[in-house]
Coordinates of all heavy atoms in Angstrom, one line a residue:
M1 N 18.6 -0.7 197.3 CA 18.1 -1.0 196.0 C 16.6 -0.5 195.9 O 15.9 -0.7 196.8 CB 18.1 -2.6 195.9 CG 19.1 -3.0 195.0 SD 18.9 -4.8 194.7 CE 20.5 -4.9 194.0
D2 N 16.4 0.0 194.7 CA 15.0 0.5 194.5 C 14.2 -0.6 193.7 O 14.4 -0.7 192.5 CB 15.1 1.8 193.6 CG 13.8 2.5 193.4 OD1 12.8 1.9 193.8 OD2 13.7 3.6 192.9
T3 N 13.5 -1.3 194.5 CA 12.7 -2.4 193.9 C 11.7 -2.0 192.8 O 11.5 -2.6 191.8 CB 12.0 -3.2 195.0 OG1 12.9 -3.6 195.9 CG2 11.3 -4.4 194.4
E4 N 11.1 -0.9 193.1 CA 10.1 -0.3 192.1 C 10.8 0.0 190.8 O 10.2 -0.3 189.7 CB 9.4 0.9 192.7 CG 8.2 1.3 191.9 CD 7.4 2.4 192.6 OE1 7.1 2.3 193.8 OE2 7.0 3.3 191.9
A5 N 11.9 0.6 190.8 CA 12.6 0.9 189.6 C 13.0 -0.4 188.9 O 13.0 -0.5 187.6 CB 13.9 1.7 189.9
E6 N 13.5 -1.4 189.6 CA 13.8 -2.7 189.0 C 12.6 -3.3 188.3 O 12.7 -3.9 187.2 CB 14.4 -3.6 190.0 CG 15.8 -3.2 190.5 CD 16.3 -4.1 191.6 OE1 15.8 -5.2 191.8 OE2 17.3 -3.7 192.2
L7 N 11.5 -3.3 189.0 CA 10.3 -3.8 188.4 C 9.8 -3.1 187.1 O 9.5 -3.7 186.2 CB 9.1 -3.8 189.5 CG 9.2 -4.8 190.6 CD1 8.1 -4.5 191.6 CD2 9.2 -6.2 190.1
S8 N 10.0 -1.8 187.2 CA 9.7 -1.0 186.0 C 10.6 -1.3 184.9 O 10.1 -1.4 183.7 CB 9.8 0.5 186.4 OG 9.6 1.4 185.3
D9 N 11.9 -1.4 185.2 CA 12.9 -1.8 184.1 C 12.5 -3.1 183.5 O 12.6 -3.3 182.3 CB 14.3 -1.8 184.6 CG 14.8 -0.4 184.9 OD1 14.2 0.6 184.4 OD2 15.8 -0.3 185.6
S10 N 12.2 -4.1 184.3 CA 11.9 -5.5 183.8 C 10.6 -5.4 183.0 O 10.5 -6.1 182.0 CB 11.9 -6.5 184.9 OG 10.7 -6.4 185.7
W11 N 9.6 -4.6 183.4 CA 8.4 -4.6 182.7 C 8.7 -4.0 181.3 O 8.2 -4.5 180.3 CB 7.4 -3.7 183.4 CG 6.1 -3.5 182.8 CD1 5.0 -4.3 182.9 CD2 5.7 -2.5 181.8 NE1 4.0 -3.9 182.1 CE2 4.4 -2.7 181.4 CE3 6.4 -1.4 181.3 CZ2 3.7 -1.9 180.5 CZ3 5.7 -0.6 180.4 CH2 4.4 -0.8 180.0
W12 N 9.5 -2.9 181.3 CA 9.8 -2.2 180.0 C 10.6 -3.1 179.1 O 10.4 -3.2 177.9 CB 10.4 -0.9 180.2 CG 10.6 -0.1 179.0 CD1 11.7 0.3 178.4 CD2 9.6 0.3 178.1 NE1 11.5 1.0 177.2 CE2 10.2 1.0 177.0 CE3 8.2 0.2 178.1 CZ2 9.4 1.6 175.9 CZ3 7.4 0.7 177.0 CH2 8.1 1.3 176.0
E13 N 11.5 -3.9 179.6 CA 12.3 -4.9 178.8 C 11.4 -5.9 178.2 O 11.5 -6.3 177.1 CB 13.4 -5.5 179.7 CG 14.5 -4.5 180.0 CD 15.2 -3.9 178.7 OE1 15.5 -4.6 177.8 OE2 15.4 -2.6 178.8
R14 N 10.4 -6.4 179.0 CA 9.5 -7.4 178.5 C 8.6 -6.8 177.4 O 8.4 -7.5 176.4 CB 8.6 -7.9 179.7 CG 7.7 -9.1 179.4 CD 7.1 -9.7 180.6 NE 6.4 -8.8 181.5 CZ 6.8 -8.3 182.7 NH1 7.9 -8.7 183.2 NH2 6.0 -7.5 183.4
V15 N 8.2 -5.6 177.6 CA 7.4 -4.9 176.6 C 8.2 -4.8 175.3 O 7.6 -5.0 174.2 CB 6.8 -3.6 177.1 CG1 6.4 -2.7 175.9 CG2 5.7 -3.8 178.1
K16 N 9.4 -4.4 175.3 CA 10.2 -4.2 174.2 C 10.4 -5.5 173.5 O 10.4 -5.6 172.2 CB 11.6 -3.5 174.5 CG 11.4 -2.0 174.9 CD 12.7 -1.3 175.0 CE 13.7 -1.8 176.0 NZ 14.9 -1.0 176.1
Y17 N 10.6 -6.6 174.2 CA 10.8 -7.9 173.7 C 9.6 -8.3 172.9 O 9.6 -8.8 171.8 CB 11.1 -8.9 174.8 CG 11.1 -10.4 174.4 CD1 12.1 -10.9 173.6 CD2 9.9 -11.1 174.7 CE1 12.0 -12.2 173.2 CE2 9.9 -12.5 174.3 CZ 10.9 -13.0 173.5 OH 10.9 -14.3 173.1
Y18 N 8.4 -8.2 173.5 CA 7.2 -8.6 172.9 C 6.8 -7.7 171.7 O 6.2 -8.1 170.7 CB 6.0 -8.6 173.8 CG 6.0 -9.8 174.7 CD1 6.2 -9.7 176.1 CD2 5.8 -11.0 174.1 CE1 6.2 -10.9 176.9 CE2 5.9 -12.2 174.9 CZ 6.1 -12.1 176.3 OH 6.1 -13.2 177.0
A19 N 7.3 -6.4 171.7 CA 7.1 -5.5 170.5 C 7.9 -6.1 169.4 O 7.4 -6.1 168.2 CB 7.5 -4.1 170.9
R20 N 9.1 -6.5 169.6 CA 9.9 -7.1 168.5 C 9.2 -8.4 168.0 O 9.2 -8.6 166.7 CB 11.3 -7.3 168.9 CG 12.1 -6.0 169.2 CD 13.6 -6.3 169.5 NE 13.8 -7.0 170.7 CZ 13.9 -6.5 171.9 NH1 13.9 -5.2 172.1 NH2 14.2 -7.2 173.0
L21 N 8.7 -9.2 168.9 CA 8.0 -10.3 168.4 C 6.8 -10.0 167.6 O 6.5 -10.6 166.6 CB 7.5 -11.2 169.6 CG 8.6 -12.0 170.3 CD1 8.0 -12.8 171.5 CD2 9.2 -13.0 169.3
A22 N 6.0 -9.0 168.0 CA 4.8 -8.5 167.3 C 5.2 -8.1 165.9 O 4.5 -8.4 164.9 CB 4.1 -7.4 168.0
I23 N 6.3 -7.4 165.8 CA 6.8 -7.0 164.4 C 7.0 -8.1 163.5 O 6.6 -8.2 162.4 CB 8.0 -6.1 164.6 CG1 7.6 -4.7 165.2 CG2 8.7 -5.9 163.2 CD1 8.8 -3.9 165.7
E24 N 7.7 -9.2 164.1 CA 7.9 -10.4 163.3 C 6.6 -11.1 163.0 O 6.5 -11.7 161.9 CB 8.8 -11.4 164.1 CG 10.2 -10.8 164.3 CD 11.1 -11.7 165.2 OE1 10.7 -12.9 165.4 OE2 12.1 -11.2 165.7
C25 N 5.7 -11.1 163.9 CA 4.4 -11.8 163.7 C 3.6 -11.2 162.5 O 2.8 -11.9 161.9 CB 3.5 -11.7 164.9 SG 4.0 -12.8 166.2
V26 N 3.8 -9.9 162.2 CA 3.1 -9.3 161.1 C 3.2 -10.1 159.8 O 2.3 -10.2 159.0 CB 3.5 -7.8 160.9 CG1 2.9 -7.2 159.6 CG2 3.1 -7.0 162.1
E27 N 4.4 -10.7 159.6 CA 4.7 -11.4 158.4 C 3.7 -12.7 158.4 O 3.4 -13.2 157.3 CB 6.1 -11.9 158.4 CG 7.1 -10.7 158.3 CD 6.9 -9.8 157.1 OE1 6.6 -10.4 156.0 OE2 7.0 -8.7 157.2
N28 N 3.3 -13.2 159.5 CA 2.4 -14.3 159.6 C 0.9 -14.0 159.6 O 0.1 -14.9 159.7 CB 2.8 -15.2 160.8 CG 4.2 -15.7 160.7 OD1 4.6 -16.2 159.7 ND2 4.9 -15.7 161.8
G29 N 0.7 -12.7 159.6 CA -0.7 -12.2 159.5 C -1.2 -11.6 160.8 O -0.6 -11.7 161.8
V30 N -2.4 -11.1 160.7 CA -3.0 -10.3 161.8 C -3.3 -11.2 162.9 O -3.2 -10.9 164.1 CB -4.3 -9.6 161.2 CG1 -5.1 -9.0 162.4 CG2 -4.0 -8.5 160.2
D31 N -3.8 -12.4 162.6 CA -4.2 -13.4 163.7 C -2.9 -13.7 164.6 O -3.1 -13.9 165.8 CB -4.8 -14.6 163.1 CG -6.2 -14.4 162.6 OD1 -6.8 -13.4 163.1 OD2 -6.7 -15.1 161.8
A32 N -1.7 -13.8 164.0 CA -0.6 -14.1 164.8 C -0.3 -13.0 165.8 O 0.1 -13.2 166.9 CB 0.6 -14.3 163.9
V33 N -0.5 -11.7 165.3 CA -0.3 -10.5 166.3 C -1.3 -10.6 167.3 O -1.0 -10.4 168.5 CB -0.3 -9.2 165.5 CG1 -0.1 -8.1 166.4 CG2 0.8 -9.2 164.4
K34 N -2.5 -10.8 167.0 CA -3.6 -10.9 167.9 C -3.4 -11.9 169.0 O -3.6 -11.8 170.1 CB -5.0 -11.0 167.2 CG -6.2 -10.9 168.1 CD -7.5 -11.1 167.2 CE -8.7 -11.0 168.1 NZ -9.9 -11.0 167.4
E35 N -2.9 -13.1 168.5 CA -2.7 -14.2 169.4 C -1.6 -13.9 170.4 O -1.7 -14.1 171.6 CB -2.3 -15.5 168.6 CG -2.1 -16.7 169.5 CD -1.8 -17.9 168.7 OE1 -2.3 -18.0 167.5 OE2 -1.2 -18.8 169.2
L36 N -0.5 -13.3 169.9 CA 0.6 -12.8 170.8 C 0.1 -11.9 171.9 O 0.3 -12.0 173.1 CB 1.7 -12.2 170.0 CG 2.8 -11.6 170.8 CD1 3.6 -12.6 171.6 CD2 3.7 -10.7 169.9
L37 N -0.7 -10.9 171.4 CA -1.1 -9.9 172.3 C -2.2 -10.5 173.4 O -2.2 -10.0 174.5 CB -1.9 -8.7 171.6 CG -0.9 -7.9 170.7 CD1 -1.8 -6.9 169.9 CD2 0.1 -7.1 171.5
S38 N -2.8 -11.5 173.0 CA -3.8 -12.1 173.9 C -3.1 -12.7 175.1 O -3.8 -13.0 176.1 CB -4.7 -13.1 173.2 OG -3.9 -14.3 172.9
T39 N -1.9 -13.0 175.1 CA -1.1 -13.6 176.2 C -0.6 -12.6 177.2 O -0.1 -12.9 178.3 CB 0.1 -14.4 175.7 OG1 1.0 -13.5 175.1 CG2 -0.4 -15.4 174.7
L40 N -0.8 -11.3 176.9 CA -0.3 -10.2 177.7 C -1.4 -9.5 178.5 O -2.6 -9.6 178.2 CB 0.4 -9.2 176.8 CG 1.5 -9.7 175.9 CD1 2.0 -8.6 174.9 CD2 2.6 -10.4 176.6
T41 N -1.0 -8.8 179.5 CA -1.9 -7.9 180.3 C -2.3 -6.7 179.4 O -1.6 -6.4 178.5 CB -1.3 -7.4 181.6 OG1 -0.2 -6.5 181.3 CG2 -0.7 -8.6 182.5
S42 N -3.3 -6.1 179.8 CA -3.7 -4.9 179.0 C -2.7 -3.8 179.0 O -2.4 -3.2 178.0 CB -5.1 -4.3 179.5 OG -5.0 -3.9 180.8
D43 N -2.0 -3.6 180.1 CA -0.9 -2.6 180.2 C 0.2 -3.0 179.2 O 0.8 -2.2 178.5 CB -0.3 -2.5 181.6 CG -1.2 -1.7 182.5 OD1 -2.2 -1.1 182.0 OD2 -1.0 -1.8 183.8
E44 N 0.6 -4.3 179.2 CA 1.6 -4.8 178.4 C 1.2 -4.6 176.9 O 2.0 -4.2 176.1 CB 1.9 -6.2 178.7 CG 2.7 -6.5 180.0 CD 2.8 -7.9 180.4 OE1 1.9 -8.7 180.0 OE2 3.7 -8.2 181.2
R45 N 0.0 -4.9 176.6 CA -0.5 -4.8 175.2 C -0.3 -3.4 174.7 O 0.1 -3.1 173.6 CB -2.0 -5.2 175.0 CG -2.2 -6.8 175.1 CD -3.6 -7.1 174.7 NE -4.6 -6.7 175.7 CZ -5.0 -7.4 176.7 NH1 -4.5 -8.6 176.9 NH2 -5.9 -6.9 177.5
C46 N -0.8 -2.4 175.6 CA -0.7 -1.0 175.2 C 0.8 -0.6 175.0 O 1.2 0.1 174.0 CB -1.3 -0.1 176.2 SG -3.1 -0.3 176.2
G47 N 1.6 -1.0 175.9 CA 3.1 -0.7 175.8 C 3.7 -1.3 174.6 O 4.5 -0.7 173.9
V48 N 3.3 -2.6 174.2 CA 3.8 -3.3 173.1 C 3.5 -2.5 171.8 O 4.3 -2.3 170.9 CB 3.3 -4.7 173.0 CG1 3.5 -5.3 171.6 CG2 4.0 -5.6 174.1
M49 N 2.2 -2.1 171.7 CA 1.8 -1.4 170.5 C 2.5 0.0 170.4 O 2.8 0.4 169.2 CB 0.3 -1.3 170.4 CG -0.4 -2.6 170.3 SD 0.2 -3.7 169.0 CE -0.7 -3.0 167.6
L50 N 2.7 0.7 171.4 CA 3.4 1.9 171.4 C 4.8 1.8 170.9 O 5.4 2.5 170.1 CB 3.3 2.6 172.8 CG 2.0 3.2 173.2 CD1 2.1 3.7 174.6 CD2 1.6 4.3 172.3
E51 N 5.5 0.8 171.5 CA 6.8 0.4 171.1 C 6.9 -0.1 169.7 O 7.8 0.3 168.9 CB 7.4 -0.6 172.1 CG 8.9 -0.9 171.9 CD 9.9 0.2 172.1 OE1 9.5 1.3 172.7 OE2 11.1 0.1 171.8
F52 N 6.0 -0.9 169.3 CA 5.9 -1.4 167.9 C 5.9 -0.2 167.0 O 6.7 -0.2 166.0 CB 4.6 -2.2 167.8 CG 4.3 -2.9 166.5 CD1 3.5 -4.0 166.4 CD2 4.9 -2.4 165.3 CE1 3.3 -4.7 165.3 CE2 4.6 -3.1 164.1 CZ 3.8 -4.2 164.1
E53 N 5.0 0.8 167.2 CA 4.9 1.9 166.3 C 6.2 2.7 166.2 O 6.6 3.1 165.2 CB 3.8 2.8 166.8 CG 3.6 4.0 165.8 CD 2.4 4.9 166.2 OE1 2.0 4.9 167.4 OE2 1.9 5.6 165.3
D54 N 6.9 2.8 167.4 CA 8.2 3.5 167.4 C 9.3 2.8 166.6 O 10.1 3.3 165.9 CB 8.7 3.8 168.8 CG 7.9 4.9 169.5 OD1 7.2 5.7 168.8 OD2 8.0 5.0 170.7
L55 N 9.3 1.4 166.8 CA 10.4 0.6 166.3 C 10.3 0.4 164.7 O 11.3 0.4 164.0 CB 10.4 -0.8 166.9 CG 10.9 -0.8 168.3 CD1 10.8 -2.3 168.9 CD2 12.4 -0.4 168.4
D56 N 9.0 0.2 164.3 CA 8.8 0.0 162.9 C 7.5 0.6 162.4 O 6.5 -0.1 162.2 CB 8.8 -1.5 162.6 CG 9.0 -1.9 161.2 OD1 8.7 -1.2 160.3 OD2 9.6 -3.0 160.9
P57 N 7.5 1.9 162.1 CA 6.3 2.6 161.7 C 5.7 2.0 160.4 O 4.5 2.0 160.3 CB 6.8 4.0 161.4 CG 8.1 4.2 162.1 CD 8.7 2.8 162.2
D58 N 6.5 1.5 159.5 CA 5.9 0.9 158.3 C 5.2 -0.4 158.6 O 4.1 -0.5 158.0 CB 7.0 0.6 157.3 CG 7.7 1.9 156.8 OD1 7.0 2.9 156.8 OD2 8.9 1.8 156.3
K59 N 5.7 -1.3 159.4 CA 5.0 -2.5 159.7 C 3.7 -2.2 160.6 O 2.7 -2.8 160.4 CB 5.8 -3.5 160.4 CG 6.7 -4.3 159.4 CD 7.0 -5.6 159.9 CE 7.8 -6.3 158.8 NZ 8.7 -7.3 159.3
F60 N 3.9 -1.1 161.4 CA 2.7 -0.7 162.2 C 1.6 -0.3 161.3 O 0.4 -0.7 161.5 CB 3.1 0.3 163.2 CG 2.0 0.7 164.2 CD1 1.7 -0.2 165.3 CD2 1.2 1.8 164.0 CE1 0.7 0.1 166.1 CE2 0.2 2.1 164.8 CZ -0.1 1.3 165.9
A61 N 2.0 0.6 160.3 CA 1.0 1.0 159.3 C 0.3 -0.1 158.6 O -0.9 -0.1 158.3 CB 1.6 2.0 158.4
Q62 N 1.2 -1.1 158.3 CA 0.6 -2.3 157.6 C -0.4 -3.0 158.5 O -1.5 -3.4 158.0 CB 1.8 -3.3 157.2 CG 1.3 -4.5 156.6 CD 2.5 -5.5 156.3 OE1 3.6 -5.2 156.4 NE2 2.1 -6.7 156.1
L63 N -0.1 -3.2 159.8 CA -1.0 -3.8 160.7 C -2.3 -3.0 160.8 O -3.4 -3.6 160.7 CB -0.4 -4.0 162.0 CG -1.3 -4.6 163.1 CD1 -1.6 -6.0 162.8 CD2 -0.6 -4.4 164.5
V64 N -2.2 -1.7 160.9 CA -3.4 -0.9 161.0 C -4.3 -1.0 159.8 O -5.5 -1.0 159.9 CB -3.0 0.6 161.3 CG1 -4.2 1.5 161.2 CG2 -2.4 0.7 162.7
T65 N -3.6 -1.1 158.6 CA -4.3 -1.2 157.4 C -5.0 -2.6 157.3 O -6.2 -2.7 156.9 CB -3.4 -1.1 156.2 OG1 -2.8 0.2 156.2 CG2 -4.1 -1.3 154.8
D66 N -4.3 -3.6 157.7 CA -4.8 -5.0 157.6 C -5.9 -5.3 158.7 O -6.7 -6.2 158.6 CB -3.7 -6.0 157.7 CG -2.8 -6.0 156.5 OD1 -3.2 -5.4 155.5 OD2 -1.7 -6.6 156.6
A67 N -5.7 -4.6 159.9 CA -6.6 -4.8 161.0 C -7.0 -3.5 161.6 O -6.5 -3.1 162.7 CB -5.9 -5.7 162.0
P68 N -7.9 -2.7 161.0 CA -8.3 -1.5 161.5 C -9.0 -1.6 162.9 O -9.0 -0.6 163.6 CB -9.3 -0.9 160.5 CG -9.6 -2.0 159.6 CD -8.6 -3.1 159.7
Q69 N -9.4 -2.7 163.3 CA -10.1 -2.9 164.6 C -9.1 -3.3 165.7 O -9.4 -3.7 166.7 CB -11.1 -4.1 164.5 CG -10.6 -5.5 164.4 CD -10.0 -5.9 163.1 OE1 -9.8 -5.1 162.2 NE2 -9.5 -7.1 163.0
W70 N -7.7 -3.1 165.4 CA -6.7 -3.6 166.4 C -6.9 -2.9 167.7 O -6.5 -3.6 168.7 CB -5.3 -3.3 165.8 CG -4.9 -1.8 165.8 CD1 -5.1 -0.9 164.8 CD2 -4.3 -1.1 166.8 NE1 -4.7 0.3 165.2 CE2 -4.2 0.2 166.4 CE3 -3.8 -1.4 168.1 CZ2 -3.6 1.2 167.2 CZ3 -3.3 -0.5 168.9 CH2 -3.1 0.8 168.4
T71 N -7.5 -1.8 167.8 CA -7.6 -1.1 169.1 C -8.6 -1.9 170.0 O -8.5 -1.8 171.3 CB -8.2 0.3 169.0 OG1 -9.4 0.3 168.2 CG2 -7.1 1.2 168.3
E72 N -9.5 -2.7 169.4 CA -10.3 -3.6 170.2 C -9.6 -4.7 171.0 O -10.0 -5.2 172.0 CB -11.4 -4.2 169.3 CG -12.3 -3.2 168.7 CD -13.2 -3.8 167.6 OE1 -13.3 -5.1 167.5 OE2 -13.9 -3.1 167.0
W73 N -8.4 -5.0 170.5 CA -7.6 -6.0 171.1 C -6.9 -5.5 172.4 O -6.4 -6.3 173.2 CB -6.4 -6.5 170.2 CG -6.8 -6.9 168.8 CD1 -8.1 -7.3 168.4 CD2 -5.9 -7.0 167.7 NE1 -8.0 -7.6 167.1 CE2 -6.7 -7.4 166.6 CE3 -4.6 -6.8 167.5 CZ2 -6.2 -7.6 165.4 CZ3 -4.1 -7.0 166.3 CH2 -4.8 -7.4 165.2
M74 N -7.0 -4.2 172.6 CA -6.3 -3.7 173.8 C -7.0 -3.9 175.1 O -6.5 -3.8 176.2 CB -6.1 -2.1 173.6 CG -5.2 -1.8 172.5 SD -3.5 -2.4 172.6 CE -3.6 -3.8 171.5
G75 N -8.3 -4.1 175.0 CA -9.2 -4.3 176.2 C -9.0 -5.5 176.9 O -8.3 -6.4 176.8

């Protein structure tokens, strides 16, 4: 068994799950997305935002419009 591959798969599944949650959070406002991201590691936050943009470009554009400082949340 390749443990590293399994860890990578579980990390990516977690990122995809949180990306879907972030998309739903947009309806509740920027602070809801920011709060969700604050519970994740910096790697997870970056992965979530990349997946978010791929899954729903329109909502991602809405987030960027509503919170142009979103990149500051990545640190």
Side-chain angles (χ1 to χ4, degrees):
M1 252 187 195
D2 187 353
T3 305
E4 191 171 315
E6 287 176 17
L7 290 174
S8 177
D9 287 345
S10 73
W11 181 87
W12 187 239
E13 288 304 315
R14 190 169 54 251
V15 163
K16 291 193 299 187
Y17 169 76
Y18 282 116
R20 290 188 295 273
L21 283 180
I23 290 167
E24 292 175 17
C25 285
V26 170
E27 298 301 321
N28 296 320
V30 171
D31 288 336
V33 177
K34 187 176 180 179
E35 184 176 333
L36 172 68
L37 292 174
S38 74
T39 66
L40 306 175
T41 67
S42 61
D43 286 346
E44 288 169 336
R45 286 191 294 268
C46 290
V48 164
M49 295 308 280
L50 290 171
E51 184 67 8
F52 182 157
E53 184 176 22
D54 286 345
L55 289 174
D56 197 330
D58 292 334
K59 278 208 178 150
F60 186 80
Q62 178 184 344
L63 176 67
V64 169
T65 299
D66 293 345
Q69 77 285 4
W70 72 271
T71 55
E72 295 172 9
W73 308 342
M74 298 298 101

